[in-house]
Amino acid sequence: MAEPLSNGDAYQSVPEAYVFPEHKRPGSSPSSAAAIPVVDLGGDDPDRIVKQIIDAGREFGMFQVINHGVPEQLMSEMMSSAEEFFRLPTEEKMALYSTDSKKLPRFHTSLGYDLENDHEKVLYWRDCLKLGCYPLEQFRHQWPEKPASLRASLEAYTTAVRAVALRLLRLTAAGLGLDEVHFEEGGLITGPMLMNVNHYVPCPDPSLTLGLGSHCDPNIITVLMENGVRGLQTRRRGGGGWVDVEPLPGALVVNFGHQMEVISNGALWSDEHRVVTNARAARTSLAVFVMPEMGSVVSPALGLVAGGKAPLYRPYTYQEFLGAFLATAADRDTILAHFQNKD
C-alpha cells in the first residue's frame, strides 16, 4: 500500500521512484507562449459564442469559460472541501484507498507510468480521490463523510457543472450544424458522471517528475476547476510545444475528449494535456467527466460526413472503446487508429 504524498511531510528531494528518465521529463519537450481561448458565456451574441467554441475545439480542444453560471461562492466551498480532504489524517484518507480502478469512491496515490522495454514504473506526483457524482441518487450515499462540508458542496457543485456541460454541448452541436440535442440522444451523455479530485503537493524539483503524463480523455467533455496554481499544460492540434494554462479567477477549464473527435468526424480535437508540478504551492483540481453509457453506440454524426465519402471512424460501443483505451495505455494515435474506418 503506497504512502500518500499528502501525508503532511514537506519533501526535501524527489524520491527516486518519482524521477522520470531524461527524455520523459517536463523540460525535454519545447514550450510555447500561446494562450488557450477564453469563451464568455455571458455574452449577448449567441453566434459569436458558438463560433468561439468551435474555433477553440478545432485549434486546441480546450478553452476556459467565464460567466458560466456556477456561483463563485459554490466554487470556493467545493474547492475548500476538496483541499480539506487531503489535509485529513493519513489513516482517514487510506480508509478509502484501493487499487481497483472500478471502485467508487476510491482514494489512490502515485499511479505509475510504464517505462519502455520493461515493466518497471515511474510514479506520478499526484494523490487522487475518485467519486461518482451523477445521478445523485445513485452516488450520494457513497460520498465520504469527512470533511463534513463535502457532501453538501458536492451535490450543489455537481448539479451546477452538469448544467454548464449540457449548455456547452448544445452550443457545440449547433456550431457543427447538428440538432442542438444531438449529444443528449442515444445514451451519449447518460453514463455515470465521475469526478477526479486531484492533489499535487509542492515538489522540491519539478524538472524531474510529472503530476500526470500526456493524455487525452476518453469521454465526450470534461469540466475542470483548479485552485489558481499553475500546472496544467496543453498542445495545439497537431502537436508542437506545450502551452501553460493560466488559471483565470472564477473560470472553468473545458476540454473535449476522444468521443467528441469521433462524433464530429475529426472536425474537433480531443485535447492532449498533462500536469507539471509546482515547487511553491499545492495544486488541487476537480475534473468532472461527462461520458456515454457503456452500451451506447458512438459514430460520426451523419450530417458531418460529406456525400459519398466514408466516415473517418467506424461505429463502436463506448465499452469497446474503453477496453482499447486501457490496452493502449491511452496513446492518442494508437487508440484513434484502432477505430478508423478501413473501408
Side-chain angles (χ1 to χ4, degrees), residues 30 32 59-60 234-243 269 272 332:
S32 169
E59 183 180 10
F60 282 101
T234 187
R235 288 189 205 258
R236 270 197 170 98
R237 186 170 194 161
W242 288 100
V243 176
W269 185 246
E272 183 182 2
R332 177 193 171 81

Side-chain angles (χ1 to χ4, degrees), residues 137-198:
E137 60 273 14
Q138 180 177 344
F139 293 114
R140 64 160 67 94
H141 70 281
Q142 301 177 351
W143 294 340
E145 295 182 0
K146 293 183 180 181
S149 60
L150 178 61
R151 288 189 168 191
S153 297
L154 186 55
E155 179 157 343
Y157 181 76
T158 293
T159 302
V161 166
R162 184 173 184 272
V164 174
L166 290 178
R167 182 183 177 192
L168 289 169
L169 287 171
R170 288 190 170 198
L171 292 168
T172 302
L176 290 171
L178 303 172
D179 189 295
E180 70 169 11
V181 296
H182 181 87
F183 293 104
E184 297 165 52
E185 300 173 339
L188 291 177
I189 61 168
T190 51
M193 198 165 87
L194 306 180
M195 176 188 290
N196 277 355
V197 186
N198 305 301

Side-chain angles (χ1 to χ4, degrees), residues 76-134:
S76 177
E77 290 171 353
M78 184 68 239
M79 181 58 70
S80 294
S81 297
E83 291 175 329
E84 187 177 350
F85 173 84
F86 292 100
R87 291 194 295 268
L88 291 174
T90 297
E91 59 271 17
E92 294 186 16
K93 293 193 290 278
M94 295 302 280
L96 299 173
Y97 179 83
S98 177
T99 58
D100 181 358
S101 62
K102 297 180 180 179
K103 184 179 183 299
L104 295 171
R106 176 194 177 207
F107 176 69
H108 58 88
T109 183
S110 308
L111 291 181
Y113 166 83
D114 282 308
L115 294 175
E116 293 90 347
N117 303 320
D118 58 37
H119 298 291
E120 294 185 17
K121 288 188 176 183
V122 179
L123 302 180
Y124 287 125
W125 194 265
R126 177 183 76 140
D127 287 351
C128 180
L129 174 65
K130 184 177 182 179
L131 299 167
C133 295
Y134 192 90

Side-chain angles (χ1 to χ4, degrees), residues 8-338:
D9 292 345
Y11 292 87
Q12 304 303 314
S13 62
V14 178
E16 188 64 29
Y18 295 86
V19 177
F20 274 70
E22 286 192 23
H23 69 288
K24 290 292 184 180
R25 293 176 189 174
S28 64
S29 56
S31 60
S32 169
I36 69 167
V38 177
V39 177
D40 184 353
L41 291 181
D44 56 5
D45 185 347
D47 291 339
R48 184 169 182 270
I49 295 172
V50 167
K51 184 178 186 304
Q52 287 179 332
I53 292 172
I54 297 301
D55 287 348
R58 293 184 192 278
E59 183 180 10
F60 282 101
M62 176 181 281
F63 50 95
Q64 296 195 68
V65 291
I66 58 175
N67 295 319
H68 41 66
V70 183
E72 285 190 24
Q73 182 175 348
L74 175 56
M75 294 176 68
S76 177
E77 290 171 353
M78 184 68 239
M79 181 58 70
S80 294
S81 297
E83 291 175 329
E84 187 177 350
F85 173 84
F86 292 100
R87 291 194 295 268
L88 291 174
T90 297
E91 59 271 17
E92 294 186 16
K93 293 193 290 278
M94 295 302 280
L96 299 173
Y97 179 83
S98 177
T99 58
D100 181 358
S101 62
K102 297 180 180 179
K103 184 179 183 299
L104 295 171
R106 176 194 177 207
F107 176 69
H108 58 88
T109 183
S110 308
L111 291 181
Y113 166 83
D114 282 308
L115 294 175
E116 293 90 347
N117 303 320
D118 58 37
H119 298 291
E120 294 185 17
K121 288 188 176 183
V122 179
L123 302 180
Y124 287 125
W125 194 265
R126 177 183 76 140
D127 287 351
C128 180
L129 174 65
K130 184 177 182 179
L131 299 167
C133 295
Y134 192 90
L136 296 171
E137 60 273 14
Q138 180 177 344
F139 293 114
R140 64 160 67 94
H141 70 281
Q142 301 177 351
W143 294 340
E145 295 182 0
K146 293 183 180 181
S149 60
L150 178 61
R151 288 189 168 191
S153 297
L154 186 55
E155 179 157 343
Y157 181 76
T158 293
T159 302
V161 166
R162 184 173 184 272
V164 174
L166 290 178
R167 182 183 177 192
L168 289 169
L169 287 171
R170 288 190 170 198
L171 292 168
T172 302
L176 290 171
L178 303 172
D179 189 295
E180 70 169 11
V181 296
H182 181 87
F183 293 104
E184 297 165 52
E185 300 173 339
L188 291 177
I189 61 168
T190 51
M193 198 165 87
L194 306 180
M195 176 188 290
N196 277 355
V197 186
N198 305 301
H199 188 68
Y200 309 89
V201 302
C203 177
D205 190 345
S207 70
L208 297 179
T209 190
L210 283 166
L212 201 57
S214 173
H215 67 287
C216 300
D217 292 343
N219 52 303
I220 285 187
I221 191 171
T222 302
V223 182
L224 179 100
M225 174 173 64
E226 44 192 351
N227 67 344
V229 177
R230 288 174 53 178
L232 181 63
Q233 294 184 329
T234 187
R235 288 189 205 258
R236 270 197 170 98
R237 186 170 194 161
W242 288 100
V243 176
D244 288 322
V245 177
E246 298 283 354
L248 295 177
L252 294 169
V253 179
V254 176
N255 69 269
F256 292 145
H258 282 305
Q259 307 316 306
M260 180 63 78
E261 183 164 347
V262 170
I263 293 168
S264 71
N265 202 38
L268 303 181
W269 185 246
S270 53
D271 171 71
E272 183 182 2
H273 52 284
R274 70 178 187 180
V275 177
V276 296
T277 58
N278 191 296
R280 297 182 300 278
R283 178 175 181 268
T284 302
S285 68
L286 290 78
V288 175
F289 305 98
V290 178
M291 62 188 66
E293 296 177 11
M294 286 295 182
S296 64
V297 177
V298 181
S299 64
L302 292 178
L304 301 179
V305 179
K309 292 187 178 181
L312 294 180
Y313 302 98
R314 64 173 176 83
Y316 55 83
T317 66
Y318 188 56
Q319 185 172 22
E320 181 188 359
F321 184 91
L322 282 184
F325 181 82
L326 296 174
T328 58
D331 179 77
R332 177 193 171 81
D333 293 338
T334 304
I335 183 65
L336 289 177
H338 185 79

